[in-house]
Amino acid sequence: MEITHIDHLGIAVKSIDACLPYYEGVLGVKCYNIEVVEDQKVKTAFFKVGEVKIELLEPTSEDSTIAKFIEKRGEGIHHIAFATPSVGDALEEVSAKGVQLIDKAPRRGAEGMDIAFLHPKSTCGILTELCMEGNK
Ligand code: CO
């Protein structure tokens, strides 16, 4: 399987607005996109840090998986996303190796990227996203 790089780190937060002063004012990394992903009930904010992005995830509803995550574990690292040339091919390959999948097929994530999640039970405890390489 070909992983080219870490695309982004997903961080669950209660409020993106409350985090902007830290990321932009203290770290000096600029937010270049804020977007609501309706079917995930989440608002996302992206920052570019060199080649790696930070994706802040704010729940837009109490039954959002991000709301549940924050309730259970607090704010913090939610997932790590690896870039791969084809999410579909990568899913087939990891599935054949016995990895438990959350998404059986690629779906559309923030920034129109093909993404799919692998279950943390199969990935040493970190919710893992595979995303298409080269989409911004
Ligand atoms: Co992500």
Side-chain angles (χ1 to χ4, degrees):
M1 147 144 183
E2 191 188 348
I3 296 291
T4 55
H5 60 283
I6 290 176
D7 183 82
H8 64 270
L9 302 174
I11 300 174
V13 299
K14 290 177 185 163
S15 161
I16 285 171
D17 284 346
C19 292
L20 289 177
Y22 170 65
Y23 283 97
E24 294 196 315
V26 178
L27 294 183
V29 292
K30 188 118 188 63
C31 175
Y32 67 90
N33 187 34
I34 292 188
E35 177 180 347
V36 173
V37 184
E38 297 285 357
D39 64 332
Q40 294 299 301
K41 295 175 180 167
V42 75
K43 184 167 142 188
T44 63
F46 280 91
F47 302 81
K48 211 157 182 0
V49 188
E51 287 305 300
V52 180
K53 292 173 277 184
I54 300 263
E55 175 187 31
L56 299 183
L57 301 148
E58 173 192 318
T60 55
S61 150
E62 275 173 22
D63 60 345
S64 153
T65 56
I66 296 300
K68 288 175 192 148
F69 176 90
I70 292 172
E71 206 174 287
K72 223 166 114 186
R73 303 176 64 166
E75 294 179 295
I77 295 268
H78 175 261
H79 66 270
I80 180 164
F82 295 102
T84 186
S86 164
V87 176
D89 290 353
L91 276 181
E92 265 180 44
E93 193 178 331
V94 297
S95 174
K97 287 178 176 167
V99 171
Q100 198 180 325
L101 308 180
I102 292 175
D103 298 302
K104 303 231 176 329
R107 60 183 168 84
R108 209 124 255 237
E111 304 189 293
M113 283 203 290
D114 260 1
I115 65 162
F117 282 95
L118 313 181
H119 200 286
K121 274 185 190 151
S122 295
T123 59
C124 303
I126 295 272
L127 176 62
T128 298
E129 175 181 342
L130 299 174
C131 67
M132 204 168 83
E133 185 199 5
N135 258 4
K136 205 190 266 181

